Amino acid sequence: MSVAKPLPHDAARLHVTGSARYVDDIPTPAGCLHLAFGLAEIASGTIARIDLDQTRSAPGVVGVWCAKDLPTDCDCSPSAHDEPLLSDDSIHYLGQPVFLVAATSHLAARKAVALASITYEERKPILSIDEALEAGSHFEEGPRIWQKGDAEQAIQSAPHRLDGEIEIGGQEHFYLEGQAALAVPQEGGDMLVHSSTQHPTEIQHKVAHALDIPMHAVRVETRRMGGGFGGKESQGNALAIACAVVALQTGKPAKMRYDRDDDFMVTGKRHDFRIHYSAGFDAKGRLQGLAFTQYARCGWAQDLSLPVADRAMLHATNAYFVPNVRIESHRLKTNTQSATAFRGFGGPQGMLGMERVMDHVAHHLDLDPTAVRQANYFGSDQNAVPAAVQTTPYGQPVEEFALGEMTKALIESSDFKARQDAVRAWNETQPVLKKGLALTPVMFGISFTLTHLNQAGALVHVYQDGSIHLNHGGTEMGQGLFQKVAQVAASRFGVGLETIKITATDTAKVPNTSATAASSGSDLNGMAVLAACDTIRNRMADHLAQLWQVPSDKIAFGDTSVTDGNRTISFAEAAKLCYEGRISLSSTGFYRTPKLEWDRLRGQGRPFFYFAYGVSASEVVVDTLSGEYRILRADILHDCGASLNPALDIGQIEGGFVQGAGWLTTEELVWDDKGRLRTHAPSTYKIPACSDRPDVFNVALWDGANQEDTIYRSKAVGEPPFMHGISVLMALSDAVASCGRGYPDLNAPATPERVLAAVRRVQNEL
Amino acid sequence: MYSFDMESPSTVADAAKALGQDEAQALGGGQTLIPTLKQRLASPSVLVSLAGIAEMKGVCTADDGSLAIGGGTTHATVAAEAGAYAALAALAGNIGDPAVRNRGTIGGSLANNDPSACYPSAALGSGATIVTNKREIAADDYFQGMFATALDEGEIITEVRFPVPEKASYMKFEQPASRFALVGVFVAKYADGVRVAVTGASEEGVYRWSEAEAALSANFSADAVPAAPSGDGMISDLHASGDYRAHLVGVMTKRAVAAAS
């Protein structure tokens, strides 16, 4: 059976030889036009005068569009219908598309854009969290508040209490392949769109809306993305719509890809957060009451900010049982790029707030932070409430909790205690270089919190030669989803992977799909494919049973053959027999996640099918003279249930950790006081490279099957490992704390300058 | 990029003549100038490439024992061939990335005098002589603030002569994304005293930290490095505050002294 085998990515060979085809590699039909947006140069105000004469007459220009030239408002929003493709004369952020140029080449379009002359009436932009709060600039009617018990009373009556605050920076997705789309007009006004998107159905829906045609007239195809990370969940809409409008109006194919600088300036990023906390706890650090106020900077449009901020609330207590909790969430509207989905979808920010509390409480009581974490775990035997009835702040019972055992196992396997002693001894003797070691857990809820998104479809054909065509609604962004799903199909039919053709995601094959997001790709699509395969397999078994005069349950599939125990024929022969017997060898499959029930306004219910767990320990060394640091070692134990593919899963865990560490260390987004993003290229914005991974990097999978009935009892792996990066920030905090008595109070990203400032604070507090 | 004509002379004399034309601009390795042109921040009518002038390339030891480097010599070549001045070779070998090192030239870097470039600190820290097609300029007279030098219009750096010190080291705190110096300090110990040149930090471009020079001339040890300078006049930008840069001047100087060999 191919499931559970550590097989390489199905396109690995294509990736490394450069022959994997991305949208920009698709040979375009003759006469293809190339598009570029003209972007707003101010963050807030209105357009006073716009002169595009020179742009129109520039070499190669075929057409120029402003909002009034579009067939509809061409809304690009995935949620609130508040993102017109082009400015309606009001400007909401610096980088907002104002006009659209179609030209005979990418370069000609970009050159023509530069010839535009626009004057503005500027307003003072709302840029920061403080400015938004002062102006009362919120999404929704105001802050959302979820509560369990009486947090305020519990905090007041606790033996110990503290308050604190952490600033958490945003993050640019920095997918290797930038945003791209290609629209090819079809007969009768239909449209074919190739899009680098995690959400082909959304592209289809938004293009259909823009062109005012039914969804059946739009077909969207996505073979693969060169990275998505959530940045292609909604941010591809603008390009696809622009291409489709131009293609419809000119009758020519139209292609658009953002230059990297434009990609930074136009598209949304991870939400930056400020989280204020008040904690009440006992002498062992066990939390009795906890109150968070989360401030999320959402940018100019709603996009996915509400569910992102919800997920930050849902992960605000991470893996810990807290009897009394109050979480207040402000979704602030600012004149910046519209913050969007990014791996973890708000979960990392919420979780970091909690890990910060753990670190702060341990420091306050002078206890080992790991012990404080363990004392607060769900199911911890020190807790008064029995494990079985412990619930999250939103009322979901924690029926399975692996972290107690996993933490013990990682402490053992990483030699954590001995290394903690070694770090302490080092710090006592070394005046300049200080080491830090920290262990942090991850408990991440799996399912879309918008319950109806938890569905998926698949389409499977078995051809008469026994080869199999596989299609499902998930998209491939490098994570290896297609390989995992193909392994499922191969296992169901008992054939090798070479028998399975993996095909591009296509809205004409599987309709009404959800984004490949929320880590749900293999959970949902794997099950849908399983259902389709089993339908066909059962039909084949029934037919062969009839031919061979045996009961259906005697027919077994395996080793690329089919047998009833006496006779054995190849799978291909079986397919041929079924074809000749007029058996349908094609089926759809469908899956909906069970058990979900969620009331987001009350913040109560079961939003998640299950939780994915992980624990990581990072060791760092800090130069206390300059604030520079290195990650020396990271050990990760991660729960993928019964892994569908350990090689791909470990790859996701390694990449997630490095990306998470980058978020909290080197990746710094800087806007100036005009609202201009100043870090908009790799020359100013630093993502971690392969060489930035720790020299010692041990990743292991926790051996265990999912308690819930998921695809082969596996667990989702896309987002959860990202949050292992939190252990790096906490290790930095540990190292800095060794410099004196004060609490490091480190904000993220912890650049060397911030680390040095923290060292100074800690040293100065005697 | 605006349109321009291109000339590729093969001698310094021809290059000087070509640079006499209106709006002519010399082109070294193009690592700064080409991006500048692409951004339309410069609009020369003629670019005069110095890449084909053999007499401006190479590394050798001059009669007086100093290390002479042709103005058209790439960083990669300096890294490989300036072994007689190891600190300088190491500096050249850590500029930017391989593409920059294989195209960029020492003459181009010094003529541009970017406030965050590495080479100006080596030239100033070594008391180098900037040789042009017209004259010889002492490094102390050459650097005149951010992007400003003593070069006249059309003047070409043909050679740079570095007196080889007893000990030297360059320490760079990299801005991690671009690998430019957030702060870089070049320390060189000569028989007649120590020179300390700082790049990346000051709004005035590369400068000599005279307090450190005096202290280190008396006692060449990391402990002798004085307290870091004040943050006034230091560059504050998206990558670091002036105060942090000032602090790093002290740290990098100590590291350079400790590593000097």
Side-chain angles (χ1 to χ4, degrees), chain A residues 225-306:
Chain A
M225 287 159 274
F229 310 116
K232 293 174 180 171
E233 189 166 341
S234 62
Q235 304 297 299
N237 295 353
L239 301 89
I241 292 169
C243 289
V245 166
V246 171
L248 183 76
Q249 296 195 350
T250 63
K252 292 173 188 265
K255 183 159 94 170
M256 186 172 205
R257 64 177 165 85
Y258 288 158
D259 183 82
R260 182 65 65 173
D261 293 274
D262 288 351
D263 208 318
F264 265 89
M265 296 305 284
V266 174
T267 65
K269 301 156 205 330
R270 182 184 295 283
H271 293 68
D272 48 63
F273 267 63
R274 174 190 298 162
I275 299 179
H276 181 274
Y277 52 90
S278 297
F281 46 97
D282 68 14
K284 290 192 168 168
R286 287 178 298 204
L287 291 167
Q288 299 180 349
L290 189 54
F292 285 111
T293 310
Q294 302 178 336
Y295 303 94
R297 208 165 60 120
C298 301
W300 74 285
Q302 186 172 302
D303 191 73
L304 301 166
S305 290
L306 304 190

Side-chain angles (χ1 to χ4, degrees), chain A residues 42 59 144 150 165-166 353 390 464 530 549 559 572 638 700 703:
Chain A
I42 63 163
R144 191 141 302 292
D150 186 342
E165 199 166 87
I166 180 169
Q390 286 187 353
Q464 55 187 298
L530 179 142
Q549 295 294 305
D559 293 331
H638 196 86
D703 197 16

Side-chain angles (χ1 to χ4, degrees), chain A residues 83 245 276 362 373 386 407 452 561 574 649 741 753:
Chain A
E83 286 185 58
V245 166
H276 181 274
R373 288 185 165 97
T407 302
H452 80 252
S561 53
D649 283 348
R741 296 179 57 115
E753 184 167 1

Side-chain angles (χ1 to χ4, degrees), chain A residues 111 114-115 623-628 666 668 670 678-679 681-686 752-753 756 760, chain B residues 1 40 172-179 238-245 247-248 251-252 254-255:
Chain A
K111 283 184 166 179
L115 298 173
D623 181 335
T624 56
L625 297 179
S626 65
E628 293 163 287
T666 65
E668 185 174 34
V670 181
R678 297 290 306 279
T679 46
S683 55
T684 44
Y685 184 80
K686 175 61 180 161
E753 184 167 1
L756 181 70
R760 291 266 177 84
Chain B
M1 203 181 277
R40 298 193 164 193
K172 171 163 73 161
F173 189 103
E174 286 183 0
Q175 193 274 94
S178 71
R179 300 182 188 165
L238 64 162
H239 299 302
S241 67
D243 285 343
Y244 186 56
R245 280 191 166 86
H247 174 80
L248 290 179
V251 175
M252 293 295 124
K254 284 182 188 169
R255 279 192 199 169

Side-chain angles (χ1 to χ4, degrees), chain A residues 154-161 280-284 286 288 364-365:
Chain A
I155 294 166
Q156 293 303 337
S157 57
H160 300 270
R161 58 165 298 171
F281 46 97
D282 68 14
K284 290 192 168 168
R286 287 178 298 204
Q288 299 180 349
H364 184 86
L365 297 172

Side-chain angles (χ1 to χ4, degrees), chain A residues 98-343:
Chain A
V98 172
F99 62 95
L100 172 67
V101 174
T104 49
S105 75
H106 179 72
L107 189 60
R110 283 176 55 77
K111 283 184 166 179
V113 162
L115 298 173
S117 163
I118 306 176
T119 52
Y120 303 94
E121 282 173 20
E122 283 192 65
R123 267 195 306 272
K124 186 175 165 4
I126 295 170
L127 300 173
S128 66
I129 286 171
D130 289 324
E131 287 166 358
L133 285 172
E134 196 175 320
S137 184
H138 274 92
F139 287 102
E140 296 192 296
E141 65 279 13
R144 191 141 302 292
I145 298 167
W146 296 345
Q147 301 194 67
K148 173 185 179 182
D150 186 342
E152 197 181 335
Q153 205 275 327
I155 294 166
Q156 293 303 337
S157 57
H160 300 270
R161 58 165 298 171
L162 60 77
D163 287 82
E165 199 166 87
I166 180 169
E167 304 270 354
I168 304 167
Q171 187 177 27
E172 162 66 26
H173 301 85
F174 223 113
Y175 21 64
L176 214 53
E177 177 212 22
Q179 305 277 350
L182 166 66
V184 185
Q186 309 291 300
E187 62 181 29
D190 289 3
M191 195 61 63
L192 167 63
V193 181
H194 297 274
S195 170
S196 179
T197 179
Q198 293 171 240
H199 200 347
T201 289
E202 173 107 319
I203 298 280
Q204 179 195 23
H205 170 215
K206 301 307 292 189
V207 167
H209 170 266
L211 304 185
D212 196 20
I213 54 178
M215 284 173 77
H216 70 44
V218 180
R219 204 188 119 211
V220 178
E221 189 180 304
T222 300
R223 174 58 187 89
R224 63 168 61 80
M225 287 159 274
F229 310 116
K232 293 174 180 171
E233 189 166 341
S234 62
Q235 304 297 299
N237 295 353
L239 301 89
I241 292 169
C243 289
V245 166
V246 171
L248 183 76
Q249 296 195 350
T250 63
K252 292 173 188 265
K255 183 159 94 170
M256 186 172 205
R257 64 177 165 85
Y258 288 158
D259 183 82
R260 182 65 65 173
D261 293 274
D262 288 351
D263 208 318
F264 265 89
M265 296 305 284
V266 174
T267 65
K269 301 156 205 330
R270 182 184 295 283
H271 293 68
D272 48 63
F273 267 63
R274 174 190 298 162
I275 299 179
H276 181 274
Y277 52 90
S278 297
F281 46 97
D282 68 14
K284 290 192 168 168
R286 287 178 298 204
L287 291 167
Q288 299 180 349
L290 189 54
F292 285 111
T293 310
Q294 302 178 336
Y295 303 94
R297 208 165 60 120
C298 301
W300 74 285
Q302 186 172 302
D303 191 73
L304 301 166
S305 290
L306 304 190
V308 166
D310 285 357
R311 192 168 275 266
M313 299 173 80
L314 287 163
H315 290 81
T317 57
N318 194 14
Y320 310 106
F321 174 71
V322 190
N324 300 283
V325 191
R326 182 180 189 279
I327 308 161
E328 179 175 319
S329 166
H330 295 253
R331 296 90 196 266
L332 301 168
K333 187 173 183 175
T334 53
N335 293 116
T336 46
Q337 290 82 354
S338 182
T340 191
F342 195 139
R343 200 173 195 174

Side-chain angles (χ1 to χ4, degrees), chain A residues 477-492:
Chain A
M477 59 194 97
Q479 82 278 44
L481 170 65
F482 282 16
Q483 180 74 323
K484 282 187 173 179
V485 174
Q487 287 175 258
V488 169
S491 297
R492 300 318 284 181

Side-chain angles (χ1 to χ4, degrees), chain B:
Chain B
M1 203 181 277
Y2 296 102
S3 67
F4 53 82
D5 293 327
M6 183 88 182
E7 293 192 22
S8 300
S10 56
T11 66
V12 172
D14 286 351
K17 198 172 154 200
L19 285 168
Q21 303 168 77
D22 265 359
E23 303 291 319
Q25 166 76 52
L27 172 68
Q31 296 307 295
T32 302
L33 182 55
I34 299 296
T36 308
L37 295 176
K38 282 183 175 172
Q39 303 247 346
R40 298 193 164 193
L41 297 173
S43 54
S45 58
V46 186
L47 275 191
V48 180
S49 170
L50 308 178
I53 304 174
E55 60 188 291
M56 275 175 55
K57 291 184 178 179
V59 180
C60 66
T61 301
D63 297 340
D64 64 358
S66 64
L67 189 75
I69 300 174
T73 310
T74 64
H75 312 329
T77 300
V78 174
E81 297 180 12
Y85 192 168
L88 183 67
L91 173 149
N94 197 34
I95 296 174
D97 54 31
V100 170
R101 293 195 289 274
N102 283 320
R103 295 291 306 171
T105 64
I106 186 168
S109 175
L110 293 176
N112 187 47
N113 191 20
D114 188 299
S116 300
C118 296
Y119 263 133
S121 68
L124 189 61
S126 306
T129 302
I130 318 294
V131 183
T132 76
N133 57 326
K134 295 180 182 167
R135 56 186 167 144
E136 296 188 353
I137 311 171
D140 284 327
D141 302 325
Y142 176 83
F143 298 103
Q144 302 191 346
M146 248 187 217
F147 298 109
T149 69
L151 291 177
D152 291 332
E153 285 290 316
E155 195 171 2
I156 302 167
I157 298 176
T158 55
E159 185 181 305
V160 188
R161 270 187 234 133
F162 292 88
V164 179
E166 295 167 6
K167 286 180 170 185
S169 179
Y170 176 63
M171 283 290 154
K172 171 163 73 161
F173 189 103
E174 286 183 0
Q175 193 274 94
S178 71
R179 300 182 188 165
F180 269 104
L182 200 68
V183 168
V185 177
F186 197 99
V187 172
K189 179 178 184 301
Y190 291 90
D192 59 352
V194 174
R195 293 174 72 102
V196 178
V198 179
T199 188
S202 168
E203 288 175 341
E204 302 299 317
V206 66
Y207 73 98
R208 286 173 67 184
W209 186 16
S210 44
E211 291 88 344
E213 290 185 349
L216 290 168
S217 295
N219 173 17
F220 192 74
S221 90
D223 296 337
V225 173
S230 126
D232 295 344
M234 295 293 183
I235 299 168
S236 267
D237 62 12
L238 64 162
H239 299 302
S241 67
D243 285 343
Y244 186 56
R245 280 191 166 86
H247 174 80
L248 290 179
V249 169
V251 175
M252 293 295 124
T253 303
K254 284 182 188 169
R255 279 192 199 169
V257 171
S261 59

